[in-house]
């Protein structure tokens, strides 16, 4: 049987914050990362567009040999994952699997809050989809979810424009809007995989006792658990005990990707430019 890499997908660089944690936890597998930088951000786009873009990316990763794809993007997980899992997969590759980042996060967030009030920061698409209140409500019906969208944050990260007073304004403004909703919020979820890059700036504007939760470690743990429970999928993944291979692909400029990705991952990256059309 042909074995293949684990695919990790995001609209741009954000998924690298998840991949970094996955590599630390499961270093032996081969990985293929795809950033659709040419079409980022996905956050303000319609359900239809996010579904179409995400499906194109997933189909491309399947053609490149990935039996398993992680949507390391909340917007794609909120707006496209269910349709891909329930409708598209049976048609395009019934034995392959696509997993998202929202459910694994919703499953654990209730263990982090004492006050039972949490804040969720995400893209406009993720917030409007209502996915987090719905999913968290399934696992922790007593937890109150306050949401705030942060439309400027992904562009700030994609363009590496977060280290200046202008960026500070947008970060402070969204945090104030969220914290005004309730003084009892004790846990804030960074429900966008781009946001961990902004964590030091976010920290500045929050009370010290508020916990900031990012998803990388949570998703890595859940992936390890998934692979443990699914030997049929494990057997389809290429694995090297001495350390697997990594391939980085972008739909936009490779020089910009390499420079930027290095900041996210802390290691040198040489990416390939790809076109997602079959
Ligand atoms: N990293 C994506 C997420 O987690 C960003 C989406 C975007 O491109 O706006 O939502």
């Amino acid at each position: 049987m042909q074995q293949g890499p684990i695919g990790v997908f995001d609209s741009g660089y954000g998924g690298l914050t998840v991949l970094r944690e996955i590599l630390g936890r499961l270093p032996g597998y081969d990985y293929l990362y795809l950033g659709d930088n040419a079409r980022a951000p996905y956050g303000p786009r319609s359900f239809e567009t996010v579904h179409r873009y995400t499906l194109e990316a997933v189909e491309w990763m399947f053609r490149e040999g990935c039996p398993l794809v992680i949507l390391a993007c909340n917007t794609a997980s909120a707006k496209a994952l269910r349709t891909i899992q329930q409708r598209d997969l049976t048609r395009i590759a019934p034995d392959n699997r696509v997993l998202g980042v929202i459910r694994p996060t919703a499953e654990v967030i209730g263990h982090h809050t004492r006050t039972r009030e949490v804040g969720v920061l995400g893209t406009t698409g993720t917030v409007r989809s209502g996915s987090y209140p719905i999913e968290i409500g399934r696992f922790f019906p007593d937890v109150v979810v306050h949401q705030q969208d942060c439309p400027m944050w992904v562009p700030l990260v994609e363009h590496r424009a977060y280290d200046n007073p202008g960026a500070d304004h947008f970060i402070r403004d969204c945090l104030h809007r969220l914290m005004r909703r309730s003084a009892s919020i004790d846990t804030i979820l960074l429900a966008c995989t781009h946001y961990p890059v902004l964590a030091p700036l976010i920290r500045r504007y929050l009370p010290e006792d508020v916990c900031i939760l990012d998803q990388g470690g949570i998703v890595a743990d859940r992936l390890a658990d998934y692979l443990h429970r699914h030997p049929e999928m494990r057997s389809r993944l290429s694995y090297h005990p001495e350390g697997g291979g990594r391939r980085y692909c972008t739909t936009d400029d490779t020089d910009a990707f390499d420079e930027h990705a290095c900041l996210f991952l802390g290691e040198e990256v040489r990416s390939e430019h790809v076109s997602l059309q079959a």
Side-chain angles (χ1 to χ4, degrees):
M1 189 203 303
Q2 185 89 0
Q3 292 180 318
I6 297 176
V8 178
F9 168 71
D10 182 47
S11 59
Y13 298 108
L16 293 168
T17 64
V18 175
L19 179 63
R20 189 182 56 214
E21 299 298 325
I22 294 177
L23 291 177
R25 186 86 166 72
L26 299 162
Y29 292 98
D30 288 335
Y31 292 92
L32 166 58
Y33 184 86
L34 173 64
D36 190 9
N37 301 78
R39 301 191 289 195
Y42 281 13
R45 299 188 192 277
S46 68
F47 267 87
E48 251 173 23
T49 304
V50 173
H51 170 251
R52 181 159 51 84
Y53 287 179
T54 307
L55 183 59
E56 281 172 11
V58 166
E59 290 190 290
W60 180 83
M61 294 181 109
F62 285 173
R63 288 198 298 278
E64 294 299 307
C66 301
L68 173 66
V69 171
I70 315 295
L71 301 184
C73 174
N74 288 271
T75 312
S77 299
K79 291 185 154 189
L81 180 63
R82 184 175 302 200
T83 313
I84 290 176
Q85 285 175 332
Q86 294 182 354
R87 196 188 71 189
D88 305 315
L89 216 47
T90 39
R91 180 175 50 84
I92 57 173
D95 295 332
N96 287 1
R97 289 292 170 266
V98 181
L99 305 175
V101 291
I102 295 179
R103 188 171 171 149
T105 312
E107 276 176 12
V108 301
I109 195 166
H111 302 311
H112 292 265
T113 167
R114 280 166 289 107
T115 60
R116 314 313 281 164
E117 290 197 40
V118 301
V120 170
L121 298 167
T123 66
T124 304
T126 299
V127 166
R128 289 216 182 124
S129 75
S131 301
Y132 272 101
I134 294 167
E135 287 292 324
I136 293 172
R138 275 201 188 118
F139 297 103
F140 304 101
D142 62 320
V143 169
V144 179
V145 180
H146 303 274
Q147 299 195 93
Q148 177 63 48
D149 67 339
C150 314
M152 287 305 291
W153 290 15
V154 169
L156 288 175
V157 174
E158 283 289 307
H159 297 103
R160 256 169 67 194
Y162 43 85
D163 213 1
N164 63 57
D168 256 35
H169 163 79
F170 290 113
I171 290 167
R172 201 176 48 229
D173 180 56
C174 292
L175 293 173
H176 282 172
R177 283 169 195 266
L178 176 66
M179 296 310 282
R180 266 207 306 266
R181 307 246 167 85
S182 167
S184 300
I185 296 172
D186 71 345
T187 303
I188 290 191
L189 172 67
L190 305 184
C192 171
T193 55
H194 281 68
Y195 297 174
V197 177
L198 304 174
L201 303 173
I202 295 171
R203 182 78 270 170
R204 274 193 218 158
Y205 298 111
L206 288 176
E208 250 172 54
D209 55 346
V210 170
C211 156
I212 301 174
L213 204 59
D214 86 50
Q215 299 176 293
I218 297 170
V219 174
D221 283 349
R222 296 297 289 138
L223 176 61
D225 178 58
Y226 173 85
L227 293 176
H228 179 71
R229 287 184 290 109
H230 291 273
E232 80 290 353
M233 176 53 76
R234 239 175 26 236
S235 67
R236 297 177 62 204
L237 298 171
S238 39
Y239 183 84
H240 315 272
E242 72 288 359
R246 288 92 178 83
R247 193 178 155 209
Y248 297 95
C249 297
T250 175
T251 54
D252 205 2
D253 182 64
T254 52
D255 289 342
F257 186 92
D258 296 353
E259 196 188 326
H260 213 146
C262 179
L263 295 175
F264 282 77
L265 280 172
E267 58 182 68
E268 287 290 305
V269 166
R270 283 190 74 84
S271 60
E272 298 162 42
H273 177 267
V274 296
S275 156
L276 303 184
Q277 310 316 319

